[in-house]
Amino acid sequence: MIASLKEAVNFGGVVAFTGAGVSAESGIPTYRGTGGFWTKYDPDKYASIDYFEQDPSYYWRFFRDTRLDLLRHPKPNPAHLALAELETRGKLQAVITQNIDGLHQEAGSRKVIELHGSSRKFHCLECCRSYLLEEIEAELEKHLPPLCADCNGILRPDIVFFGEMLPPGAIEEAMDLASRASLLLVIGSSLVVYPAAQIPMAAKSCGARLAIINDEPTPADGLSDWVLMGKAGEILPQLL
Ligand code: NAD
């Protein structure tokens, strides 16, 4: 199974579509499944735009206590590194990711489409000034929610909360890449979060072959040409 997938990858025209599972081996918990964030925290409170607007300190406490440490010392794993290497070798056109951790870029991937934004970037809700993670760490110790150094406005992360639209440019580019791919590698995603989860179906209906690499079954397994069950960090390096 891996040998025929490796052959298809070598042919080129490959696009990767990744989810939280690709970062699990970097120590970042997924949202769903065993140990996932949503088994401990209610997504309706911590990930919804309505709740953020009502009480932003709720989100910021969650961010400070659960995400900050993980983002401070980014550690791409062999799955991220293998995808970056495939791009360097001219086999992989792009990574479309649902992740907000920046680990693909950290591993050296250059063409990365972030469908759900980035939890390393922030902006002020009043004056729109942008901030990077390093710039708000000290502020997070002092204020929850953190405030803008220029105008005292509340800061928000540049992520897509539940209840918000995906960035139109990102979803269009992702759909375009998926529709022109010969092979879509779908890695570490439960494929239950829409509209992102439409991307594999769109690729398939435009003629791409699908390979699912995940440690549990997904709703798209029946449509797929390859289903490789296991850890992304062990399977992807074998494609090099
Ligand atoms: P998900 O949590 O719904 O699914 C992750 C999938 O990966 C699960 O099916 C799980 O069994 C599988 N998995 C876990 N470890 C794996 C491994 N080592 N190798 C292969 N598969 C593994 O995540 P999703 O599908 O990305 O969708 C949910 C949303 O979660 C997205 O919107 C994303 O923004 C967000 N999210 C991002 C991060 C991050 O940036 N690292 C972390 C958690 C959630």
Coordinates of all heavy atoms in Angstrom, one line a residue, residues 199-231:
I199 N -13.1 20.0 1.3 CA -12.0 20.0 0.3 C -11.6 18.7 -0.3 O -11.5 18.5 -1.5 CB -10.8 20.8 0.9 CG1 -11.2 22.3 1.0 CG2 -9.5 20.6 0.2 CD1 -10.3 23.2 1.7
P200 N -11.5 17.6 0.6 CA -11.2 16.3 0.0 C -12.3 15.8 -1.0 O -12.0 15.3 -2.1 CB -11.2 15.4 1.2 CG -10.8 16.3 2.3 CD -11.5 17.6 2.0
M201 N -13.6 16.1 -0.7 CA -14.7 15.7 -1.6 C -14.6 16.5 -2.9 O -14.7 15.9 -4.0 CB -16.1 15.9 -1.0 CG -16.2 15.7 0.5 SD -15.7 14.0 1.0 CE -15.5 14.2 2.7
A202 N -14.2 17.8 -2.8 CA -14.1 18.6 -4.0 C -13.0 18.1 -4.9 O -13.1 17.9 -6.1 CB -13.9 20.0 -3.6
A203 N -11.9 17.7 -4.2 CA -10.7 17.2 -5.0 C -11.1 15.9 -5.7 O -10.8 15.7 -6.9 CB -9.5 17.0 -4.1
K204 N -11.8 15.0 -5.0 CA -12.2 13.7 -5.6 C -13.1 14.0 -6.8 O -12.9 13.3 -7.8 CB -12.8 12.9 -4.5 CG -13.2 11.5 -4.9 CD -12.0 10.6 -5.0 CE -12.3 9.2 -5.5 NZ -11.1 8.4 -5.8
S205 N -14.1 14.9 -6.6 CA -15.0 15.0 -7.7 C -14.4 15.7 -8.9 O -14.9 15.6 -10.0 CB -16.3 15.8 -7.2 OG -15.9 17.1 -6.9
C206 N -13.2 16.3 -8.7 CA -12.5 16.9 -9.9 C -11.4 15.9 -10.4 O -10.6 16.3 -11.2 CB -11.9 18.2 -9.5 SG -13.1 19.5 -9.2
G207 N -11.4 14.7 -9.9 CA -10.5 13.7 -10.5 C -9.3 13.4 -9.7 O -8.5 12.5 -10.2
A208 N -9.1 14.0 -8.6 CA -7.9 13.7 -7.8 C -8.0 12.3 -7.1 O -9.1 11.9 -6.8 CB -7.6 14.7 -6.7
R209 N -6.9 11.7 -6.9 CA -6.9 10.5 -6.1 C -6.8 11.0 -4.6 O -6.1 12.0 -4.3 CB -5.9 9.5 -6.5 CG -6.2 8.9 -7.9 CD -5.4 7.7 -8.2 NE -4.1 8.0 -8.6 CZ -3.1 7.1 -8.7 NH1 -3.4 5.9 -8.6 NH2 -1.9 7.5 -9.1
L210 N -7.3 10.2 -3.7 CA -7.3 10.6 -2.3 C -6.5 9.6 -1.5 O -6.7 8.4 -1.7 CB -8.7 10.6 -1.7 CG -9.7 11.7 -1.9 CD1 -10.9 11.6 -1.0 CD2 -9.0 13.1 -1.7
A211 N -5.7 10.0 -0.6 CA -5.0 9.2 0.4 C -5.3 9.7 1.8 O -5.0 10.9 2.1 CB -3.5 9.1 0.2
I212 N -5.9 8.9 2.6 CA -6.2 9.3 4.0 C -5.1 8.7 4.9 O -4.9 7.5 4.9 CB -7.6 8.8 4.5 CG1 -8.7 9.1 3.4 CG2 -7.9 9.3 5.9 CD1 -9.4 10.4 3.6
I213 N -4.5 9.6 5.7 CA -3.5 9.1 6.7 C -4.0 9.6 8.0 O -4.0 10.8 8.3 CB -2.1 9.7 6.4 CG1 -1.7 9.1 5.0 CG2 -1.1 9.3 7.4 CD1 -0.5 9.9 4.4
N214 N -4.5 8.7 8.8 CA -5.2 9.1 10.1 C -5.1 7.9 11.1 O -5.0 6.7 10.6 CB -6.6 9.4 9.8 CG -7.1 10.5 10.8 OD1 -6.6 11.6 10.9 ND2 -8.2 10.2 11.6
D215 N -5.2 8.2 12.4 CA -5.1 7.0 13.3 C -6.4 6.5 13.7 O -6.5 5.6 14.6 CB -4.2 7.4 14.5 CG -4.9 8.4 15.4 OD1 -6.0 8.9 15.1 OD2 -4.4 8.6 16.5
E216 N -7.5 7.0 13.0 CA -8.8 6.4 13.2 C -9.6 6.5 11.9 O -9.2 7.3 11.1 CB -9.6 7.0 14.4 CG -9.9 8.5 14.1 CD -10.7 9.2 15.2 OE1 -10.9 8.6 16.3 OE2 -11.2 10.3 14.9
P217 N -10.7 5.8 11.7 CA -11.4 5.9 10.5 C -12.0 7.3 10.3 O -12.3 8.0 11.3 CB -12.6 4.9 10.7 CG -12.1 3.9 11.7 CD -11.2 4.7 12.6
T218 N -12.3 7.7 9.1 CA -12.9 9.0 8.8 C -14.1 8.8 7.9 O -14.2 7.8 7.2 CB -11.9 10.0 8.1 OG1 -11.8 9.6 6.7 CG2 -10.5 10.0 8.7
P219 N -15.0 9.8 7.8 CA -16.1 9.6 6.9 C -15.8 9.5 5.4 O -16.6 9.1 4.6 CB -16.9 10.9 7.1 CG -16.3 11.6 8.3 CD -15.0 11.1 8.5
A220 N -14.5 9.9 5.1 CA -14.1 9.8 3.6 C -13.4 8.6 3.3 O -13.0 8.4 2.1 CB -13.3 11.1 3.3
D221 N -13.2 7.6 4.2 CA -12.4 6.4 3.9 C -13.0 5.7 2.7 O -12.2 5.2 1.9 CB -12.4 5.5 5.1 CG -11.5 6.1 6.2 OD1 -11.0 7.2 6.0 OD2 -11.3 5.4 7.3
G222 N -14.3 5.6 2.6 CA -14.9 4.8 1.5 C -14.7 5.4 0.1 O -14.7 4.7 -0.9
L223 N -14.4 6.7 0.1 CA -14.1 7.4 -1.2 C -12.6 7.3 -1.6 O -12.3 7.8 -2.7 CB -14.3 8.9 -1.0 CG -15.7 9.5 -0.9 CD1 -15.6 11.0 -0.7 CD2 -16.4 9.2 -2.3
S224 N -11.8 6.8 -0.7 CA -10.4 7.0 -0.9 C -9.7 5.9 -1.6 O -10.1 4.7 -1.5 CB -9.7 7.2 0.5 OG -10.3 8.3 1.1
D225 N -8.6 6.3 -2.3 CA -7.8 5.3 -3.0 C -6.8 4.6 -2.1 O -6.4 3.5 -2.3 CB -7.1 6.0 -4.1 CG -8.1 6.7 -5.1 OD1 -8.5 7.8 -4.8 OD2 -8.5 6.0 -6.0
W226 N -6.4 5.3 -1.1 CA -5.5 4.7 0.0 C -6.0 5.1 1.3 O -6.4 6.3 1.5 CB -4.1 5.2 -0.1 CG -3.3 4.8 -1.4 CD1 -2.5 3.7 -1.5 CD2 -3.2 5.6 -2.6 NE1 -1.9 3.7 -2.7 CE2 -2.4 4.8 -3.4 CE3 -3.8 6.7 -3.1 CZ2 -2.1 5.2 -4.7 CZ3 -3.5 7.1 -4.4 CH2 -2.7 6.4 -5.2
V227 N -6.1 4.2 2.3 CA -6.4 4.6 3.7 C -5.2 4.0 4.5 O -5.1 2.7 4.6 CB -7.7 4.0 4.1 CG1 -7.9 4.3 5.6 CG2 -8.9 4.5 3.3
L228 N -4.4 4.8 5.0 CA -3.3 4.3 5.9 C -3.5 4.7 7.3 O -3.6 5.9 7.6 CB -2.0 5.0 5.4 CG -1.6 4.6 3.9 CD1 -0.5 5.5 3.4 CD2 -1.1 3.2 3.9
M229 N -3.8 3.7 8.1 CA -4.2 4.0 9.5 C -2.9 3.9 10.4 O -2.2 2.9 10.4 CB -5.2 2.8 9.9 CG -5.9 3.1 11.2 SD -7.4 3.9 10.9 CE -8.5 2.5 10.6
G230 N -2.7 5.0 11.0 CA -1.5 5.1 11.9 C -1.0 6.5 12.2 O -1.8 7.4 11.9
K231 N 0.2 6.6 12.7 CA 0.6 8.0 13.1 C 1.3 8.7 11.9 O 2.1 8.1 11.2 CB 1.7 7.8 14.2 CG 1.0 7.4 15.5 CD 2.1 7.6 16.6 CE 1.6 7.1 18.0 NZ 0.4 7.6 18.5

